[in-house]
Amino acid sequence: MEQNTNRANFSSKLGFVLAAASSAIGLGNLWRFPYLAAKYGGGIFLLTYICLAILFGVPLLITEISIGRKTRQSSIGAFKVLGQKSNICGVLGLIIPMIITPYYCTIGGWVTKYLCTFAVGSEKEAVSDSFFGSYIGSTAEPIIFLLIFLFLTALVVFFGVEKGIERVSTILMPVLLVLVVGLAIYICTLPGIGEGVSYYFKPDFSKFSGKLVLAALGQLFYSLSIAMGIMVTYGSYMKKEDNLATSSGQIAFFDSLVGIFAGLIIVPSVFLFSGGNESAMGAGPGLMFITLPKVFDTFAAGRIVGLLFFALVIFAALTSSISLLEAVVSNIMDMTHMSRKKAVVITTIYCAVVGIICSLGFGAWSGVTIFGFDILDFLDFISNSVLMPVLALLTCLFVGFVIKPKTLIDEVQQSGVTFHTKKIYSFLVKWFCPIAIVLILVSSVASALGLFSM
Ligand code: PFF
């Protein structure tokens, strides 16, 4: 496959950083990060996460983005150009977003429903314990909201890299940042919130453990959109003259910042609402869809806070699903040379079908389980806990020992950019990242098999 010189580009470095950061910032930051932080001792989790973001997140981002930029191809073409004979990394970079996009849109549909519920003033309904369960267990409405969310995603991808993805990210990312910071400030002014804020930030060193490190590593994967073909694809649209290493640092910075602020919105307010009951934090998905509406109901400005919060979540989820869909569409375009519009239509129909199956898995087909998981959880497990670590591991080994880090270091140093930390990068990508990934893989599979709980 030839290196593609007529490829679409992000128009500027800022455009690239905002698009990649808005891919990274998603449900992982707003829902998963806060409850993990609360579960693993607040400040100590935050500290560990920040260290790992630098040691693990940034090198993996540099690796994927530089592979994309060097080859100007999405993952299938990229690993082929780099000479990977089996092209296993390239193929996984297509399969993983194909598994994730449909179920991410199913969850995006739930968020859309909550946003509408707050927008039309029916938020009292969302306060009842049974609202979430009976909503996702119904048939028609979750499918309609899934299709609305998917349609919005597809519309942006349809308009292409600069006119669709970059334009939407450049608008939504600043709005998202203002919302997350504004809501966090509001929460910090609530009477009696101090104890919850210090619970969130104060490092409880007694809670430091191997499990905490693994949870933080797993979260980094999820949160940074690594090992799902996205960053290779976005890298392929990056201009040669932009500084790839600093951009990767900025993406990790924005992503961590939003996670930390989201935690500041959620953890202290749930802490206050539950009277300091730590187990209230471990509610998992229920934290966002069941506990938070109850918490917002106790605020004087509950409806507006809820509305703004779910607007924040939907913007974050939408920009992430756009990047997931783009990773699939772009691979299809590279492989078949079909037009973007045709590729978007075909991929969207596929996502609608699989997304509907996931949605039915909570209702009409709730009896269907795969290895004990419901359909959505199974797709989540197989992608996040198995295939993503495998892809990241194979990518590190391929870069570290086959094409050698120098190939990518040269790409970073294009157009006179100096890669100051290239020695550290080589060490991290060859040794530190693969070892860390093997640990994540083993622990997540072991925890799924019930050998120990994460
Ligand atoms: N990084 C995004 C998020 O934090 O939500 C996107 C994403 C992560 C999508 C993990 C899917 C996924 F499995």
Side-chain angles (χ1 to χ4, degrees):
M1 209 171 288
E2 297 274 292
Q3 292 199 15
N4 183 352
T5 42
N6 297 324
R7 200 165 181 82
N9 270 319
F10 288 115
S11 69
S12 64
K13 179 170 178 253
L14 183 68
F16 169 77
V17 172
L18 289 180
S22 62
S23 159
I25 296 166
L27 293 168
N29 305 63
L30 299 171
W31 151 69
R32 209 164 178 267
F33 184 90
Y35 91 75
L36 284 176
K39 185 171 168 194
Y40 287 102
I44 186 68
F45 181 85
L46 302 187
L47 275 177
T48 314
Y49 186 85
I50 291 169
C51 294
L52 290 174
I54 297 167
L55 290 176
F56 180 81
V58 175
L60 284 181
L61 279 174
I62 293 176
T63 302
E64 293 201 5
I65 296 171
S66 58
I67 287 176
R69 194 176 72 172
K70 182 174 174 53
T71 58
R72 311 221 40 86
Q73 297 278 340
S74 296
S75 72
I76 292 219
F79 284 93
K80 203 166 169 190
V81 169
L82 291 176
Q84 189 175 61
K85 286 201 191 69
S86 63
N87 205 5
I88 173 121
C89 290
V91 174
L92 282 174
L94 169 63
I95 292 178
I96 294 169
M98 277 184 76
I99 297 177
I100 296 177
T101 316
Y103 82 75
Y104 205 76
C105 289
T106 306
I107 303 175
W110 300 347
V111 179
T112 316
K113 162 73 182 176
Y114 270 68
L115 180 69
C116 293
T117 306
F118 276 82
V120 298
S122 313
E123 68 281 358
K124 293 275 174 222
E125 289 172 25
V127 172
S128 98
D129 271 333
S130 57
F131 180 80
F132 180 60
S134 60
Y135 172 68
I136 64 170
S138 60
T139 303
E141 228 191 318
I143 292 179
I144 293 169
F145 278 106
L146 145 71
L147 294 177
I148 294 173
F149 185 86
L150 176 59
F151 175 75
L152 292 174
T153 304
L155 195 65
V156 177
V157 177
F158 192 84
F159 281 106
V161 177
E162 206 182 322
K163 293 209 182 79
I165 300 171
E166 182 173 347
R167 191 185 282 172
V168 168
S169 311
T170 324
I171 299 169
L172 290 190
M173 257 297 281
V175 176
L176 192 146
L177 287 175
V178 170
L179 279 177
V180 79
V181 173
L183 283 169
I185 294 174
Y186 170 77
I187 296 291
C188 288
T189 61
L190 293 175
I193 202 74
E195 223 185 311
V197 174
S198 88
Y199 170 79
Y200 179 54
F201 279 124
K202 211 167 104 204
D204 178 353
F205 288 99
S206 69
K207 288 202 178 153
F208 186 80
S209 65
K211 265 190 186 176
L212 178 153
V213 177
L214 283 179
L217 268 175
Q219 172 61 15
L220 255 175
F221 244 100
Y222 193 100
S223 190
L224 282 177
S225 296
I226 25 195
M228 45 181 107
I230 294 176
M231 290 301 165
V232 175
T233 301
Y234 275 24
S236 74
Y237 304 139
M238 187 188 201
K239 287 193 170 159
K240 288 281 183 194
E241 56 271 26
D242 291 344
N243 188 330
L244 203 154
T246 52
S247 299
S248 303
Q250 286 159 352
I251 297 164
F253 171 78
F254 278 128
D255 186 64
S256 308
L257 194 76
V258 172
I260 292 169
F261 272 98
L264 190 53
I265 297 171
I266 296 173
V267 177
S269 58
V270 174
F271 189 90
L272 179 67
F273 170 78
S274 64
N277 176 1
E278 290 192 20
S279 62
M281 306 291 173
L287 191 64
M288 178 144 73
F289 293 110
I290 301 172
T291 318
L292 273 187
K294 290 194 217 294
V295 174
F296 294 150
D297 191 49
T298 62
F299 299 167
R303 177 172 170 205
I304 183 80
V305 173
L307 188 64
L308 292 177
F309 178 80
F310 282 106
L312 166 71
V313 183
I314 204 163
F315 291 162
L318 199 59
T319 47
S320 294
S321 68
I322 288 167
S323 67
L324 283 160
L325 192 68
E326 174 63 20
V328 181
V329 166
S330 169
N331 265 308
I332 294 180
M333 284 167 61
D334 284 353
M335 279 188 312
T336 62
H337 301 291
M338 83 172 49
S339 73
R340 169 171 287 273
K341 295 185 172 49
K342 210 165 159 192
V344 172
V345 171
I346 294 172
T347 317
T348 305
I349 293 172
Y350 156 81
C351 290
V353 172
V354 181
I356 289 172
I357 295 174
C358 290
S359 188
L360 291 174
F362 293 98
W365 294 352
S366 59
V368 180
T369 56
I370 311 169
F371 298 119
F373 294 100
D374 61 51
I375 302 169
L376 189 151
D377 284 343
F378 175 73
L379 296 183
D380 183 57
F381 170 75
I382 205 78
S383 51
N384 279 286
S385 304
V386 183
L387 297 180
M388 280 162 58
V390 168
L391 172 56
L393 178 64
L394 294 177
T395 305
C396 289
L397 296 178
F398 179 65
V399 171
F401 298 95
V402 183
I403 60 167
K404 305 283 187 291
K406 183 167 181 312
T407 312
L408 300 185
I409 290 170
D410 289 347
E411 177 58 33
V412 175
Q413 302 204 118
Q414 282 277 327
S415 321
V417 172
T418 316
F419 188 5
H420 295 289
T421 49
K422 53 178 174 266
K423 290 220 170 82
I424 306 176
Y425 166 76
S426 298
F427 169 77
L428 293 173
V429 85
K430 253 177 131 161
W431 303 108
F432 178 77
C433 295
I435 294 172
I437 295 163
V438 169
L439 291 177
I440 304 180
L441 189 59
V442 171
S443 80
S444 55
V445 172
S447 97
L449 297 175
L451 299 180
F452 74 85
S453 64
M454 281 279 278

